[in-house]
Amino acid sequence: MVLNIINDLANDASRLAKESILTKNKNNVVLIRVFEAALNPMRNYYIRKIPDPISSKDKVPFTYIFDVLDMLANRDVTGNAAINLVAKTLGQLPEDEAKVFAMILSKDLRCGVSEKTVNKIWKGLIPEYPVMLCGQYNEKSEKYIRFPAIAQLKLDGMRFNAICKNGTVEFRSRNGKELNLLGNLEKEFLALANGNNLVFDGELICCDSKGKFLNRQTSNGILSKALKGTITKEEAVMVTATLWDIITLDDFNKGKGKVVYENRFQTLMKMLEKGNEKIRLVEFHAIDSFDEANELFESYLAKGEEGLIVKDMLSVWENKRVKHQIKLKGELECDLKIVGWQEGTGKNVGKLGALVLASSDNVINVSVGSGFTDIDRDSIKKDIIGGICAIKYNARIKDVKTGIESLFLPVFIEIRQDKNKADSSKTIK
């Protein structure tokens, strides 16, 4: 039974144990289809809320759900007809199979298995969601930037794409998960696209009623609800977008474009020159040297900003971590995988005490017990193992006796619902 396998995976936090369970079931064709349907970032079923099942005496085999999923993904059925089809199908399945169907529709099997682990067992099953990432600043990185270049304010929101295709728009996080904004920003992006198939790249940040940015924890907390499908209409209208890139959908799907950044950014500037209350262009400055970049960086830090990104204007868009875009940050920060959950003591008995974290290659290991609010300690349960956690720290350190690497004075920032890959030790300073 597929649900039994998923439950076994959920009940064992060890990555090796999960791989062992999947290996034992490597030839289970139905299980393979379930993982592909749930984790493929390019498949969207357009069901924002799982409806209550419509009880029926007629029963269907479990594999019928894949026909339903195809109809939803291909938009063969939409709106109320799609909701009724899902409700009817849920009512025609046994309870355990209906639960799996609902998890697939929610794009979350809740078993702590990542796309990387799945692809290790079934090579190439889950396609990689395209994303261009920038590198960290160091002396060697300077040679990859040609001047004049552009320096842009580094924002503190949630990375996203607005994908405009054939007169529709969908919002996705950096790992391809759908962001349900309840219709907010849809008409604005469709107007910008003007019928063209385009992908807009930027960050989402929530604002208060006066247009002031909310702090990172509050804003990303609201945006995490958009990932889970629990955001309210009142919260959704608070979401605004800041953009820094535009790519044709064809180049996005291919993983590499031909248009240089100077032209892409000018296109974006022209689109937004009339002003837009909900969508804005990232703050930017033309620079002629890294000395200018450092001066601008220091001025941003003095204002309480996070940092800046320096970009080579003659570079093309690529689906990888590139050397022609460099990140300058004032505070050391990284995203680590959650490998353990420790119970607290005293008033926190029965609650979260600390999270045990590791880099993607397991070179760096650290336990973080500070930075959590009372709400965090109540809400972060053991099922968070396998997820990604953002922390800030003072320095990367190594134990002289054991050679084990860790991070000095780690402080919890947030659970990264929008990310499923941790940083490797090679990218952590």
Side-chain angles (χ1 to χ4, degrees):
M1 231 182 255
V2 171
L3 183 60
N4 289 341
I5 298 172
I6 292 174
N7 287 337
D8 288 343
L9 291 165
N11 291 331
D12 201 317
S14 166
R15 176 180 57 81
L16 293 177
K18 293 180 190 294
E19 289 181 5
S20 176
I21 293 170
L22 291 176
T23 300
K24 289 177 183 177
N25 294 279
K26 187 173 183 178
N27 297 321
N28 188 324
V29 177
V30 175
L31 183 68
I32 294 172
R33 295 186 72 182
V34 165
F35 270 98
E36 191 280 331
L39 299 185
N40 187 336
M42 307 311 289
R43 283 179 68 85
N44 187 355
Y45 304 118
Y46 306 99
I47 298 296
R48 292 176 170 172
K49 182 179 180 181
I50 306 300
D52 293 329
I54 298 174
S55 183
S56 173
K57 293 181 180 179
D58 298 326
K59 300 300 175 184
V60 295
F62 180 67
T63 52
Y64 172 68
I65 70 166
F66 299 111
D67 294 329
V68 175
L69 292 170
D70 284 342
M71 286 188 279
L72 296 171
N74 296 331
R75 306 292 279 170
D76 294 330
V77 288
T78 59
N80 288 331
I83 295 171
N84 289 335
L85 175 61
V86 170
K88 183 178 178 181
T89 304
L90 287 167
Q92 293 174 321
L93 293 167
E95 184 178 351
D96 59 334
E97 294 180 355
K99 187 174 182 180
V100 175
F101 181 42
M103 287 193 289
I104 293 173
L105 290 169
S106 300
K107 304 285 283 183
D108 185 2
L109 295 178
R110 302 173 205 148
C111 60
V113 174
S114 68
E115 289 87 342
K116 183 178 180 181
T117 299
V118 170
N119 282 336
K120 189 173 183 179
I121 307 302
W122 299 294
K123 189 175 180 179
L125 181 65
I126 310 300
E128 178 185 343
Y129 184 76
V131 60
M132 184 164 73
L133 302 171
C134 58
Q136 296 279 2
Y137 173 78
N138 56 54
E139 291 182 1
K140 293 181 180 179
S141 64
E142 292 188 10
K143 65 182 180 182
Y144 296 105
I145 302 296
R146 291 164 287 192
F147 292 98
I150 189 169
Q152 297 171 343
L153 173 64
K154 187 180 185 307
L155 300 170
D156 220 3
M158 179 180 284
R159 180 81 176 270
F160 89 112
N161 292 129
I163 303 174
C164 297
K165 179 181 178 181
N166 300 330
T168 64
V169 61
E170 59 187 53
F171 302 106
R172 293 189 178 273
S173 68
R174 60 177 284 165
N175 60 356
K177 291 184 179 179
E178 183 188 9
L179 284 153
N180 180 3
L181 300 179
L182 304 181
N184 181 43
L185 294 178
E186 287 184 7
K187 65 178 182 180
E188 288 87 354
F189 274 104
L190 289 175
L192 286 182
N194 193 30
N196 296 301
N197 292 340
L198 299 170
V199 178
F200 295 89
D201 197 2
E203 291 202 19
L204 297 176
I205 307 177
C206 295
C207 295
D208 61 21
S209 58
K210 297 180 180 179
K212 182 180 178 181
F213 287 150
L214 300 181
N215 63 60
R216 174 176 177 170
Q217 188 172 26
T218 303
S219 180
N220 285 357
I222 292 172
L223 291 167
S224 292
K225 294 181 181 180
L227 286 171
K228 298 175 183 176
T230 58
I231 194 170
T232 66
K233 289 184 177 180
E234 291 77 15
E235 291 169 328
V237 297
M238 299 168 70
V239 180
T240 66
T242 300
L243 303 179
W244 59 69
D245 209 344
I246 182 171
I247 313 107
T248 67
L249 182 59
D250 186 49
D251 286 347
F252 185 75
N253 290 332
K254 288 179 181 177
K256 188 171 183 177
K258 296 180 181 179
V259 182
V260 298
Y261 186 58
E262 181 177 18
N263 293 342
R264 302 198 311 271
F265 195 63
Q266 285 180 351
T267 297
L268 202 55
M269 289 176 64
K270 189 172 182 179
M271 286 181 169
L272 294 170
E273 64 184 358
K274 293 181 180 179
N276 191 308
E277 290 184 1
K278 303 288 287 186
I279 305 173
R280 59 178 64 85
L281 190 70
V282 68
E283 184 177 319
F284 70 96
H285 300 266
I287 56 172
D288 291 313
S289 67
F290 266 99
D291 287 339
E292 287 188 31
N294 286 323
E295 287 179 14
L296 183 61
F297 174 59
E298 293 296 336
S299 69
Y300 274 148
L301 291 185
K303 296 176 184 177
E305 301 289 359
E306 186 178 354
L308 58 80
I309 309 292
V310 178
K311 299 180 179 181
D312 185 306
M313 296 296 283
L314 299 180
S315 60
V316 298
W317 183 88
E318 299 177 85
N319 173 29
K320 65 178 185 180
R321 188 176 294 279
V322 298
K323 296 178 179 179
H324 52 70
Q325 295 193 0
I326 301 172
K327 181 188 337 181
L328 282 74
K329 292 185 64 175
E331 195 168 49
L332 294 175
E333 186 178 319
C334 63
D335 297 317
L336 301 175
K337 61 182 178 180
I338 302 169
V339 297
W341 185 98
Q342 296 176 342
E343 184 178 344
T345 59
K347 70 173 186 177
N348 292 320
V349 170
K351 303 178 182 179
L352 171 67
L355 291 175
V356 183
L357 311 172
S359 57
S360 63
D361 50 11
N362 297 311
V363 171
I364 297 173
N365 292 270
V366 64
S367 175
V368 56
S370 62
F372 299 106
T373 65
D374 289 341
I375 294 175
D376 291 331
R377 295 190 185 279
D378 285 333
S379 62
I380 299 177
K381 306 296 183 181
K382 290 184 179 180
D383 61 5
I384 200 66
I385 293 174
I388 303 295
C389 176
I391 66 167
K392 56 184 177 181
Y393 61 99
N394 279 25
R396 179 170 167 174
I397 56 176
K398 181 186 287 189
D399 189 292
V400 178
K401 294 182 180 180
T402 65
I404 296 175
E405 293 197 55
S406 188
L407 300 174
F408 185 57
L409 296 179
V411 178
F412 172 79
I413 298 176
E414 63 180 332
I415 301 298
R416 292 298 301 266
Q417 302 287 353
D418 61 327
K419 193 175 182 183
N420 50 23
K421 292 182 181 179
D423 295 332
S424 73
S425 61
K426 295 179 181 179
T427 62
I428 298 174
K429 288 186 176 183

